[in-house]
Amino acid sequence: MTARELDAARITDRRLRAAYTHCRELNARHGRTYFLATRLLPPERRPAVHALYGFARWADDIVDAPDGDRAPGTGGDTARRTAALDRLSEDLHHGLADGRATAPVVAALADTSRRYAIDHRHFTDFLTAMRSDLTVTEYACYDDLRAYMHGSAAVIGLQMLPVLGAVVPREEAAPYAAELGVAFQLTNFLRDVGEDLDRGRVYLPLDLLAAHGADRELLRHCRDGGRTDHRVTAALREFESLTRAVYRRAAPGVPLLAPVARPCIRTALVLYGGILDAVAADGWTVLHRRAVVPRRRRALVAADGLLRVAAARFAARRGPVSAPAGDRPAPSRPKESA
């Protein structure tokens, strides 16, 4: 299947084919939800998505992975991780400038950026956010968290947009794409509260915790003791509500995408939203274990996505048709949360 995708994308250079294959393997191994949704894209667009994921995953592993993991330079101290990010940043600079990249993930990313005319600032903003994770361990308020998520999440949506395609000018669809990237990351923050705490980070805004009588120390106490606390649960519920509001602001952007890309993004919306459902169904125990979407639910959502793909391809063969009411572009732009 990998060769079919690469052939469809007209990626013929042997070194680049190996680089894209490496990115695909990273996506399949570590991004199950993301990878499943990507399977609903036309084959020629999948390698680009794998490249974007592979680069982001590689950088994230430099920041987070324990000693001995696959990313080079992932030492236990800040200086070594900073040096590894510096090397990645330099490799990215060369790759984007002239294609002379050392790391496979950078080679694939640079090629994808050239093919789809992706703004290079999205990649540098992402690395800036990764650097902040080495020193910033908490956020006083949601506005501060949103500023961080511009680089860590919003730009991921903006990178994806040229690959997905749109039926409107890119700048019109961009705010929704950025908002969707933020929604996905907020979901991950909620799911990974315990794991992030072990890395020394708290992404739940401190003022949100304080409003419910919770703080970093209470989170640590619950994590270490295997306990739950009504104050923590209340804060998690509010964070979930905040996250769902971001999903609602992002959803009107789906009809703005190219028809063949909509089933992929709809599926991602449902699956990531399902993580929020799973967190609640699991009793808000994210400090102790990661909530997962049941396999049966994932299969049903994927099947629905496949049906939508078939319908979109059939419609494309028949020529332009009027969009159903639910697929017509919404006129309003997403608003930032206060």
Side-chain angles (χ1 to χ4, degrees):
M1 186 64 73
T2 303
R4 174 172 170 259
E5 293 171 355
L6 295 172
D7 291 343
R10 299 183 180 181
I11 299 168
T12 58
D13 180 84
R14 184 166 56 183
R15 177 173 171 268
L16 276 176
R17 286 173 74 91
Y20 275 104
T21 298
H22 177 66
C23 292
R24 186 184 189 277
E25 291 169 353
L26 287 175
N27 196 347
R29 189 185 316 146
H30 300 288
R32 291 189 306 167
T33 299
Y34 201 80
F35 184 76
L36 178 60
T38 301
R39 301 293 300 152
L40 300 176
L41 285 174
E44 67 272 12
R45 304 194 193 193
R46 296 174 198 165
V49 178
H50 297 323
L52 295 175
Y53 179 91
F55 177 79
R57 179 73 199 196
W58 196 258
D60 193 58
D61 278 354
I62 289 175
V63 174
D64 287 342
D67 292 345
D69 250 15
R70 63 197 170 283
T74 55
D77 59 90
T78 300
R80 290 180 63 190
R81 294 173 189 257
T82 299
L85 283 178
D86 286 343
R87 290 192 294 272
L88 181 61
S89 181
E90 183 177 1
D91 202 22
L92 175 67
H93 172 75
H94 290 303
L96 293 175
D98 53 26
R100 294 187 298 108
T102 301
V105 295
V106 177
L109 180 81
D111 185 65
T112 290
S113 175
R114 178 184 60 79
R115 288 170 182 264
Y116 289 94
I118 301 174
D119 192 331
H120 294 179
R121 290 178 299 176
H122 299 330
F123 306 123
T124 55
D125 286 351
F126 173 75
L127 287 181
T128 297
M130 293 300 96
R131 289 180 188 280
S132 74
D133 270 334
L134 297 177
T135 55
V136 179
T137 62
E138 59 190 26
Y139 295 88
C141 61
Y142 183 61
D143 284 347
D144 290 348
L145 183 63
R146 286 286 308 211
Y148 160 76
M149 286 192 295
H150 165 74
S152 66
V155 298
I156 301 298
L158 296 174
Q159 292 168 24
M160 282 282 294
L161 182 57
V163 179
L164 298 173
V167 296
V168 297
R170 189 182 298 184
E171 60 271 17
E172 185 176 338
Y176 298 98
E179 201 75 353
L180 187 59
V182 170
F184 288 166
Q185 181 158 75
L186 287 172
T187 302
N188 289 340
F189 286 161
L190 183 62
R191 180 195 63 191
D192 300 338
V193 168
E195 296 174 18
D196 287 331
L197 189 63
D198 289 343
R199 298 184 183 108
R201 302 191 201 112
V202 175
Y203 291 106
L204 302 178
L206 298 184
D207 62 350
L208 184 152
L209 289 170
H212 298 281
D215 54 22
R216 188 189 191 104
E217 288 69 30
L218 181 58
L219 295 178
R220 186 76 261 171
H221 175 73
C222 291
R223 173 76 168 169
D224 291 343
R227 303 180 179 89
T228 58
D229 186 286
H230 69 93
R231 293 166 292 181
V232 172
T233 299
L236 294 174
R237 286 180 183 275
E238 182 177 345
F239 195 79
E240 181 223 10
S241 178
L242 179 154
T243 302
R244 289 193 186 277
V246 179
Y247 275 104
R248 289 193 294 271
R249 292 197 296 274
V254 176
L256 304 184
L257 299 174
V260 293
R262 293 172 195 165
C264 166
I265 301 305
R266 281 200 185 92
T267 298
L269 271 167
V270 174
L271 289 175
Y272 271 90
I275 294 174
L276 298 177
D277 297 333
V279 168
D282 206 27
W284 305 93
T285 57
V286 286
L287 273 170
H288 315 300
R289 59 177 175 267
R290 173 182 284 204
V292 296
V293 179
R295 187 171 298 177
R296 175 178 171 79
R297 172 64 172 160
R298 288 165 54 86
L300 289 172
V301 172
D304 177 72
L306 287 171
L307 289 174
R308 291 179 180 272
V309 167
R313 291 176 180 172
F314 178 73
R317 286 195 297 269
R318 293 187 61 188
V321 295
S322 297
D327 279 354
R328 289 174 190 154
S332 59
R333 293 166 66 91
K335 299 177 181 178
E336 291 286 336
S337 290

